[in-house]
Amino acid sequence: LAAYERPECGAVHALRIMREPGMDTPLVVIAGCIGEAAVAAVMREGAADVLPRGSLVDLGAAIRRAREARDRRQERRRAQEAVEISERQWRHLFDAMEDAVSFLDSTGKILKCNSAMAAFAGESAESLVGKYCHDIVHRGQARPHLCPFDRMRQSHCREIQILPLAERRVQVVVDPVFDESGNLIGALHMLRDVTATTRFMGRTNPGSVPTKL
């Protein structure tokens, strides 16, 4: 509680202290003769309620409302902190993957990608958002006929293809992503360097390396 008129520790001064980091104590202001403009100013400063001295019978209810509002704020804050911690953990795991992984929308544009995909493209992860996957994989060339993403849009199933890129062979895996109604909304796109594996297969069994699965 704080009295609006107390000069040594008035309500406005107390409210400004309550706004310091880590403080979340609701403050009910008791005022004598106070106009609507002053009430509005005190509420903008963060007062939970303003009661005239002649209405102290409502003080208990005002304190209860202030505490309930404080509890709701703290619950929302804890929920937001939990979401932020979860997002950081997910991002850490996502970036720890050696494979270059991207989330695509239904047209093949990149929504999000990990650090390995950024390294593959030679760009930052943020700069890749909004670009088409084939622009990254095929270095700006047109999307090839029946690329794994297009095949996935037709089959609604995982599609895999091994592509020769410069001196490497890269396995492209595209998995469909559906919404709760079963509608295709995008894809999980993964690149894996399989150069060493395909060279070994070629030496031990020539002609056995597939390009499409």
Side-chain angles (χ1 to χ4, degrees):
L1 299 177
Y4 181 74
E5 301 88 351
R6 277 189 78 181
E8 68 274 17
C9 187
V12 173
H13 177 70
L15 287 166
R16 288 172 180 168
I17 293 175
M18 296 300 181
R19 287 207 303 265
E20 293 179 359
M23 297 285 288
D24 190 12
T25 302
L27 191 70
V28 176
V29 176
I30 308 299
C33 194
I34 181 173
E36 291 184 2
V39 171
V42 171
M43 294 299 288
R44 283 196 301 272
E45 290 289 342
D49 209 342
V50 179
L51 296 179
R53 292 189 186 280
S55 299
L56 294 186
V57 67
D58 299 325
L59 181 58
I63 292 174
R64 184 172 61 254
R65 288 193 301 271
R67 286 176 172 171
E68 290 173 351
R70 187 266 321 272
D71 292 344
R72 288 193 295 271
R73 286 195 305 273
Q74 291 180 343
E75 182 63 28
R76 286 194 299 269
R77 190 178 302 117
R78 286 192 292 268
Q80 181 60 33
E81 289 173 351
V83 168
E84 292 173 356
I85 291 172
S86 178
E87 287 180 347
R88 286 196 299 271
Q89 291 174 336
W90 179 87
R91 186 76 218 186
H92 177 73
L93 292 173
F94 192 41
D95 284 334
M97 297 176 66
E98 294 184 0
D99 296 326
V101 181
S102 303
F103 290 103
L104 311 179
D105 69 9
S106 59
T107 68
K109 285 184 178 179
I110 296 173
L111 300 174
K112 188 177 293 187
C113 66
N114 67 353
S115 296
M117 183 62 177
F120 175 89
E123 302 181 34
S124 67
E126 292 76 15
S127 70
L128 295 180
V129 174
K131 294 185 178 181
Y132 288 102
C133 56
H134 65 265
D135 287 334
I136 308 305
V137 177
H138 300 282
R139 306 301 181 185
Q141 299 178 18
R143 180 181 291 173
H145 177 62
L146 289 181
C147 77
F149 179 78
D150 287 335
R151 286 160 40 207
M152 179 279 302
R153 289 202 296 184
Q154 295 175 9
S155 69
H156 285 198
C157 298
R158 165 177 282 199
E159 295 290 347
I160 303 174
Q161 187 168 356
I162 296 177
L163 299 175
L165 298 177
E167 297 180 354
R168 296 182 294 173
R169 282 186 174 268
V170 176
Q171 183 185 63
V172 183
V173 180
V174 183
D175 284 308
V177 176
F178 303 97
D179 64 13
E180 294 179 353
S181 300
N183 300 309
L184 182 69
I185 59 172
L188 180 66
H189 184 281
M190 184 178 69
L191 303 175
R192 173 177 294 173
D193 190 332
V194 293
T195 305
T197 302
T198 53
R199 284 177 179 170
F200 175 77
M201 290 175 63
R203 286 197 302 267
T204 56
N205 190 8
S208 65
V209 179
T211 61
K212 185 171 70 173
L213 301 177

